[in-house]
Amino acid sequence: MHELDEAVLAVRQYTDARPEIGLILGSGLSALADLVKNPVTIETATIPGYPTSTVEGHVGRLVFGTIGSTSVVFVQGRLHVYEGHEVQHSTFPVRLLSQLGVSKLILTNAAGGIHPEFSPGTLMWITDHINWTHKNPLIGSEIVPKTRYEYGTSCYDEAWTNKAQQVATSLGIATSKGTYLWTLGPSYETKAEIRAFKLLGADAVGMSTVPEAIQARSLGMRVLGLSTITNFAAGLGNAELNHQEVLDVGRGVQADLERLILSLLKG
Ligand code: HPA
């Protein structure tokens, strides 16, 4: 049996939903799943082949339901490569969502701000990325070699991003656009690394999202990426970085994020 077939069968014991839009929730953003109407919640631990998350503050759940007339699924408990997952395993949820019918994927994360105007609380649409880890979820995959190389050149859907930014503006929520740089973690960056990343053209830095975006594109999904800047990246602010700050700022912008996500998903 294909690695995903058993997982799909397990999900199908709970729901026949074929969600159009999937949303992967980043650090501190798990509560966004409460927006879903008529939720069907599945613990990922009960899904064969689904890797287990180990990070504090993360749960492992898929929440199916509707927002307006749109069928959606939220993934709570992102899998990070720094937890010890192979990069190919970390994108298992994306392959599963694709099998379940998802054609549009929203990737959210918490990130450190590098761009001088990005203070904590800034919302940034990801328009491009830098893969500092050089790890790629397509390594060893069965996709046609001819097209393998295309994924990554334009992961983030420009039209969807522009529309999403307009929606934010119409709600009175200011957003910015920028380039996200993926580091492996789990340690935060050094000040010297952040100076280097700035020279490379990065506006924000974080430990997720890029492998999921590459995987999603390889499956033909449209991708929207949204970073919540939770802190000044190392050396750019006065305070030392800590995980609690990341979670707290995430909670602080939650009301805006909720309104934004609701509007985006309603269509
Ligand atoms: N660096 C890496 N990942 C992060 C940061 C950061 O400063 N903030 C939130 N996630």
Side-chain angles (χ1 to χ4, degrees), residues 27 82 109-114 180-181 183 185-189 194 204-208 228-234 241-243 245-247:
S27 303
Y82 66 69
N109 64 40
I114 295 180
Y180 176 89
L181 183 145
T183 54
S187 0
Y188 286 118
E189 301 69 39
I194 294 301
V205 58
M207 305 174 192
S208 66
T228 300
I229 305 296
T230 51
N231 55 279
F232 293 105
L241 303 187
N242 68 75
H243 187 54
E245 178 191 13
V246 169
L247 297 178

